[in-house]
Amino acid sequence: MKLVMAVIKPHKLDPVREALTEIGVTGLTVSEVKGFGRQKGHTEIYRGAEYSVAFLPKVKIELVIPNDRVEQVMEVIRDAAETGQIGDGKIFVIDVERSMRIRTGETGDDAL
Amino acid sequence: MKLVMAVIKPHKLDPVREALTEIGVTGLTVSEVKGFGRQKGHTEIYRGAEYSVAFLPKVKIELVIPNDRVEQVMEVIRDAAETGQIGDGKIFVIDVERSMRIRTGETGDDAL
Amino acid sequence: MKLVMAVIKPHKLDPVREALTEIGVTGLTVSEVKGFGRQKGHTEIYRGAEYSVAFLPKVKIELVIPNDRVEQVMEVIRDAAETGQIGDGKIFVIDVERSMRIRTGETGDDAL
Amino acid sequence: MLPLARYGMALLAVLLLPMPALAEDSLNSGDTAWIIVATALVLFMTLPGLALFYAGLVRSQAVLSVVMHCVGIACLMTILWLVVGYSLAFGDSAGGWIGNLGKAFFSGVGKDAMRGSIPEIVFAVFQMTFAIITPALIVGAYVERIKFSSVLIFSGAWLLLVYAPVCHWVWGGGWMAGLGVMDFAGGIVVHATAGISALVIAMMLGARRGYPEQVRPPHNPGMTATGAAMLWVGWYGFNGGSQLAADGGAGMAIAATHIAAATAGMVWMIIEWTKFGKPSLVGAVTGVIAGLATVTPASGFVGPLGGLILGAAAAIVCFYAVQIVKHSLKIDDSLDVFAVHGVGGILGSLLVSFLALAMFGGNGLAEGQTAVGQLGVQAIGVGVTLVWSAVLTVVIVKVTGALTGGLRVSEDQEIEGLDLASHGERGYDIGR
Amino acid sequence: MLPLARYGMALLAVLLLPMPALAEDSLNSGDTAWIIVATALVLFMTLPGLALFYAGLVRSQAVLSVVMHCVGIACLMTILWLVVGYSLAFGDSAGGWIGNLGKAFFSGVGKDAMRGSIPEIVFAVFQMTFAIITPALIVGAYVERIKFSSVLIFSGAWLLLVYAPVCHWVWGGGWMAGLGVMDFAGGIVVHATAGISALVIAMMLGARRGYPEQVRPPHNPGMTATGAAMLWVGWYGFNGGSQLAADGGAGMAIAATHIAAATAGMVWMIIEWTKFGKPSLVGAVTGVIAGLATVTPASGFVGPLGGLILGAAAAIVCFYAVQIVKHSLKIDDSLDVFAVHGVGGILGSLLVSFLALAMFGGNGLAEGQTAVGQLGVQAIGVGVTLVWSAVLTVVIVKVTGALTGGLRVSEDQEIEGLDLASHGERGYDIGR
Amino acid sequence: MLPLARYGMALLAVLLLPMPALAEDSLNSGDTAWIIVATALVLFMTLPGLALFYAGLVRSQAVLSVVMHCVGIACLMTILWLVVGYSLAFGDSAGGWIGNLGKAFFSGVGKDAMRGSIPEIVFAVFQMTFAIITPALIVGAYVERIKFSSVLIFSGAWLLLVYAPVCHWVWGGGWMAGLGVMDFAGGIVVHATAGISALVIAMMLGARRGYPEQVRPPHNPGMTATGAAMLWVGWYGFNGGSQLAADGGAGMAIAATHIAAATAGMVWMIIEWTKFGKPSLVGAVTGVIAGLATVTPASGFVGPLGGLILGAAAAIVCFYAVQIVKHSLKIDDSLDVFAVHGVGGILGSLLVSFLALAMFGGNGLAEGQTAVGQLGVQAIGVGVTLVWSAVLTVVIVKVTGALTGGLRVSEDQEIEGLDLASHGERGYDIGR
Ligand SMILES: Nc1ncnc2c1ncn2[C@@H]1O[C@H](COP(=O)(O)OP(=O)(O)O)[C@@H](O)[C@H]1O
Ligand SMILES: Nc1ncnc2c1ncn2[C@@H]1O[C@H](COP(=O)(O)OP(=O)(O)O)[C@@H](O)[C@H]1O
Ligand SMILES: Nc1ncnc2c1ncn2[C@@H]1O[C@H](COP(=O)(O)OP(=O)(O)O)[C@@H](O)[C@H]1O
């Protein structure tokens, strides 16, 4: 199994989730994160004092999938999350050794 | 070392932490996440407009442990987090190559 | 490529980011997390009722980097995040098999 | 005194009000104390009441922009009201259509000028708070997507071209007052004008991006309820203060107001409970506000029973009005300004014809007037106001759009949220 | 005038109040202005004051439900008070036990009916706001686990069976008034009734799931402090308004009220500082509220020094009462309604016997009455009220439980939180 | 009556006020109603108004501590004012410098003692709310880094050594009153004293850790705007109440106040829009508060036009004052107390010399006085107050530091945030 971890723009979360559901992905986990990258943060001015906010709001998606679906999942995420503008984010793939569904105790691909 | 990453129901966090402490786990990191899976979200109605909230509040636990403890940790998490109802969550295990304690610079299993 | 995942004290986020920027790291992702470790939480008393808060606010940094930069990045994070006091946090390194920049479709080290 | 006679006198008083202070007017410190406080209460309705009520309903990336709209409107309307608005509304009438400029810059409104038993300056500031909240009501129509410059220009023009004339017609001794139109505290002057204009600007501006599927639910219903509670409390000043005296009439206006609010809140809860299975907080307080808007034109003319009936009618009619605007007309009047305020104000303005009758515990109609006759008068008042407001709003929106290069922000800015895009601020920076 | 004579007159006035307006009553616009505003202030105490005070203390998944309880109660109590409650409390007395139905639907309470120097309609609405806040106080006992339907049924029955009778006994010319029980603004009528009923319903309902170890700390102490501040401000209307006039008596009531609040806040801080090492905001404002509840029955009878003593006593006694209920009795009266409001109200109702003496700067007792004698009278008033309220609450809870299939929501719903489970809403949807 | 004569009478009234009630004083219930409500409004300004205004501007780990400072100050100042403060300020004058102790513990201030047309107890509590808000204003200077014990000791000493004397000089029949210094509602007594003391304590305490680069932006601008709105509403009571009557003078004071607030808010928005490209909510409401502080000393002496000019001047001058303190002086007066309140109060205290002239719609100056002459008088009043306040603040800070082992918390506690470190609480515990 592989863990696909994608960092995307917040307003792309719904499209990505829908696209993944369509290809049969049944589970994923989402975190609200702050991103730092080529796309720069912004400056806020309050009463003349400048506060530079280096980080931008992003959403991190983590989903574990069987090995043979990695290609397709990456494709689908990219299609749904792309705007073509800087800051669109990244997709990373990491190997997962074991998995278990807490409710049933199933393991391996069955747990996903 | 292995990274055990578990997604569980929020009100199970305290029991899981206590169970892990009992078997001698000394550190873990927790994130508030939103989950999408077999357990479905809900619909909110405000003034007649429906808003479908696809995601459910979950808690993600990450802890890095020596290789030989993986079995036991998975067991303990499962026991403490199980309710038998849909949405109980998952446990994933990922290999960790290196680790370091920032305070002391210790590495490997000593850093945990 | 490697995923470096560091859990640090919240007020060390800015120094760490700046130190990483200086050595040419161009992207990272930050989550607000709660940590449990040797450093203990605290007790809050409201109207005589004690609430023990087991977790402390921490910040988790995730950045994916080419293999040859791991050593340096760990060093730099440690230098910037260290206070010498309990609770400074950990650095973990995990192997990343694939990566992709959503905007361009670039993969591998080019995607970082 | 007979109810009819009393009403006749009230009407007479209304007609006399716009006139310069009469020689025999002398200060009543109790009345003055009450109207000063009522003024504070009506300001409190907008800031922070309405601001919180609306701000809780938008997504968290636009919470500040909504508050900013209300603050900006409060500031600008104050200045305009001082410079020319008060005079247009309450200056000597030019043929019943508009006040002249004799009171521009509050000229002649010194400390000693009187209006009935209270200083005219107190009356002028009391009315100023009405001139603030009315354009602020429209904010709910255009949240999350409008330029701040457009808000200011639109609201300023709207105050002078829509609010001031209608206010003059009804309360400033204009032609509607002459006709006998009954509007105690602003069903026509405030709620009908703002409500229909909200609908028009929402249509012209277009819906929020992703509407209706991807719009976010209210980000902070507790904030909305807090604002609604403040509106409820402040409405005592709005309706009770419109009596311009601290007497049984003010007390009765407040009684009717309070009862209508509570009844409408209760009925709205029951409707939601029946239809959706759960009564929501956002729904309950929407009901309260609908009840308050509906009782407004009637408050000084009806009794407690009138309040009860108005409240129940408000909840039922406004609940369905919300559904119709959203689901049938598919207009993104985002925070339901028309369906709640507009429809409520119109409803109350019509129902008062009956509920003011003594048989419902009201003060009675003008001598010789029948309920049906009064209904006709009310219908004229409402109808002309709706047409005038709608037409002028179209014109003002067009001109504003031309001046500000379109009313809407760019799509990127809308996605980012108005707080950062237009004001450079974020609503919440909450660390753990 | 001698203090005693003054007090005698005050007592006389209290006894006369329930009577129909006397022929010689004429409107005092200053008094009327003040009581209208006081009415607004007391409404403000419940909405949003009490709602925020309580909502900040629960976990974030139940914040809206607490506000909803307060809104629902405000709506329903208003209707019940109009229909029959006011008449039961202030209608002509049936043997000193309960008012008759002569004032049902505010019948006879027209614009011109007077009560002392103010219109009776103003008095009726002022009292309505008391009838709203009293059952709303009980909300703190059952948060996070009760059905909304149970809240409404319980509160409605409680208003008619507990509040209205006791209110009649003390303020409506009933037997306690005849006995000479002193309760200026509601130590017995409001705080003792609500406090003991809260304790009873908390026991019958059972504790929150996971209580006491796994209960969450207050999710938003700043919200609680905001609500407490509003309660403090609104209490000027509660206690000062109970004078029913804008005079030195109202001023003195407010002085005592304010001083008691501040002193209790300060003393509570000091106790926490000493005992726990840190003074907390939640503690400080709890002290303020304890002081306010405690001074309430005494406010119009004591001087500034009385306020100071009542405040200090309130903080000390209520602080330990909280500990006892939580740690010794182990009752999950979740937001300490009994320990703060109940105990405070009882304490003040007893202490007034002494602090009303001229030697403490008070107005003195009724002619011929001694402090100890008055203490006996007060003890009877308090004791009967506690028994009556407790017994009736048991009955009402039983019946409500039968009607709504048990008062508690299911365990799943409790875990999910009442906001989503009962109202389909979430308190905070804050994106970054 | 001629403006000048009227002003002469007003001045006479001011001079007479500190005297014991005159035989012919009789209660005016309208005036009393208004001042009671004004008292509630001024309390509302501090709690929750100022508390929210300030708390929204700090980082989220210190939100509660700011509220706690305000609550703690409200409690302690109340007690001190009762015990001795009122008497120092308004007791019989010892040579124009300070009041004697004749009114300690409000002695002689019974229900029947009068002050003009209102009970003296009402006046004493009205002034008590001023004695609360003035030291609370200083909170903005030392947030996020001060010990709570230091806050209490500093504020208590400051009340007695700075506020009470200056209050006596200006309003208590002291030497400034004799000199003819004009300060209607506290430009000198409130804003100049608090402003300069804030600057001094900020300098002595040192900047927040990481200032200026790493300081967090305001964590909740909506909370700040809510507080500002409450301040705006409450200021009606602050300035309008200072008339001590419900009449045209109070009405005009409120008109000027409201217009100044709105104008300053508008102008501040425009300045930010021009300079930074975006008008911010925090900026707009800062402008509003600057306008309110600036109009305060002038409010009862000027007309609407005066309000307009004062508002515009306030925004321009205070905006640049903020820049200067931050960027040139580099003082971490964290929430700009000096630049907004201090500078505003001083500005208004000087400008009133001109704007009170009849040509600007004001009431005119004392007979025989010229604008330039009055400016000299005002400059003396302001100058002496600034020196006195600054010097005494230095002394009090030193002594407080000695008593509490330094004013600052440890660096660790500052990093952790005062909420947890000093009060053991967290501001937000919001689950998803
Ligand atoms: N090397 C990295 N490791 C982890 N996260 C990264 C890395 N580079 C970028 N990110 C995340 O992806 C987001 C987008 O990256 P950015 O460089 O701004 O734009 P783009 O992906 O279009 O090149 C960043 O805000 C950050 O959250
Ligand atoms: N393949 C997956 N990858 C990552 N997280 C998952 C995956 N499947 C489920 N989850 C997480 O686990 C939670 C529970 O899963 P769900 O399918 O609802 O129930 P169950 O675990 O009982 O089968 C989800 O809400 C989601 O957060
Ligand atoms: N084994 C672990 N796996 C994951 N996170 C850990 C682990 N041990 C510690 N942490 C994280 O690191 C933080 C600091 O650890 P702690 O033991 O308190 O101090 P130190 O790092 O100085 O030994 C914890 O709060 C937790 O978030």
Side-chain angles (χ1 to χ4, degrees), chain A:
Chain A
M1 294 151 294
K2 303 291 172 192
L3 167 67
V4 177
M5 170 174 141
V7 180
I8 61 172
K9 290 188 168 163
H11 72 277
K12 286 297 185 185
L13 174 59
D14 276 330
V16 167
R17 180 187 52 78
E18 281 162 23
L20 287 172
T21 311
E22 261 171 41
I23 61 159
V25 166
T26 56
L28 52 84
T29 299
V30 174
S31 323
E32 287 177 348
V33 297
K34 300 185 289 187
F36 175 82
R38 281 191 182 66
Q39 184 194 11
K40 292 297 162 235
H42 60 270
T43 299
E44 297 173 21
I45 302 179
Y46 294 93
R47 296 184 177 175
E50 295 209 359
Y51 302 86
S52 73
V53 179
F55 296 100
L56 291 161
K58 300 281 169 190
V59 157
K60 183 173 77 177
I61 297 180
E62 288 169 307
L63 68 166
V64 177
I65 47 174
N67 294 344
D68 54 12
R69 304 209 62 179
V70 170
E71 207 64 45
Q72 184 193 18
V73 163
M74 288 180 74
E75 205 86 322
V76 161
I77 293 177
R78 189 178 168 223
D79 284 356
E82 195 203 331
T83 68
Q85 278 170 316
I86 201 165
D88 273 354
K90 317 276 179 202
I91 308 177
F92 302 118
V93 180
I94 293 169
D95 188 59
V96 173
E97 300 187 342
R98 309 178 57 166
S99 70
M100 182 192 277
R101 184 190 307 275
I102 290 175
R103 173 161 49 93
T104 57
E106 288 161 283
T107 55
D109 281 3
D110 293 344
L112 305 180

Side-chain angles (χ1 to χ4, degrees), chain E residues 51-289:
Chain E
L52 294 175
F53 179 66
Y54 277 172
L57 292 171
V58 300
R59 66 197 189 107
S60 64
Q61 294 85 351
V63 54
L64 302 182
S65 70
V66 171
V67 180
M68 187 70 169
H69 292 168
C70 294
V71 172
I73 286 172
C75 292
L76 186 57
M77 298 311 112
T78 294
I79 297 170
L80 292 176
W81 189 252
L82 167 69
V83 173
V84 70
Y86 178 64
S87 197
L88 290 178
F90 293 101
D92 287 347
S93 191
W97 290 99
I98 193 76
N100 70 12
L101 296 185
K103 287 172 185 287
F105 281 97
F106 287 4
S107 119
V109 189
K111 279 178 7 175
D112 302 319
M114 296 294 297
R115 173 155 182 130
S117 62
I118 65 170
E120 186 178 354
I121 186 70
V122 172
F123 176 77
V125 181
F126 180 62
Q127 287 295 334
M128 185 184 268
T129 57
F130 279 61
I132 288 170
I133 200 168
T134 310
L137 286 175
I138 307 175
V139 166
Y142 51 63
V143 294
E144 298 192 15
R145 59 200 188 282
I146 197 170
K147 288 180 189 162
F148 185 54
S149 55
S150 305
V151 169
L152 293 180
I153 294 174
F154 169 81
S155 302
W158 191 90
L159 183 80
L160 301 181
L161 298 178
V162 176
Y163 183 78
V166 176
C167 183
H168 183 77
W169 302 344
V170 182
W171 293 338
W175 67 269
M176 282 197 197
L179 203 66
V181 168
M182 295 166 77
D183 184 5
F184 191 72
I188 293 173
V189 177
V190 173
H191 296 283
T193 58
I196 188 70
S197 301
L199 196 70
V200 169
I201 193 170
M203 289 173 64
M204 296 179 72
L205 190 63
R208 283 167 292 174
R209 201 180 151 276
Y211 178 87
E213 294 83 19
Q214 293 202 3
V215 162
R216 307 277 319 159
H219 91 283
N220 195 335
M223 179 183 273
T224 292
T226 303
M230 291 171 172
L231 284 165
W232 189 343
V233 171
W235 227 292
Y236 278 35
F238 199 88
N239 289 359
S242 292
Q243 174 78 359
L244 299 181
D247 59 12
M252 190 57 84
I254 288 171
T257 298
H258 182 86
I259 291 166
T263 309
M266 198 70 223
V267 172
W268 195 293
M269 273 186 237
I270 292 169
I271 298 176
E272 283 198 350
W273 217 332
T274 319
K275 267 187 79 95
F276 305 138
K278 290 175 186 176
S280 72
L281 179 59
V282 167
V285 300
T286 304
V288 166
I289 301 302

Side-chain angles (χ1 to χ4, degrees), chain C residues 38-59:
Chain C
R38 281 190 181 68
Q39 185 194 10
K40 292 296 161 236
H42 60 268
T43 298
E44 297 174 21
I45 303 179
Y46 294 94
R47 295 183 177 175
E50 294 207 0
Y51 302 86
S52 73
V53 178
F55 296 101
L56 291 161
K58 299 279 172 193
V59 156

Side-chain angles (χ1 to χ4, degrees), chain F residues 14 45 63 72 85 108 125 130 167 171 188 260-261 264 282 286 302 349 360 410:
Chain F
V14 167
M45 286 175 70
V63 55
V125 181
F130 280 60
C167 182
W171 293 338
I188 292 172
V282 167
T286 303
V302 301
S349 299
F360 292 109
S410 73

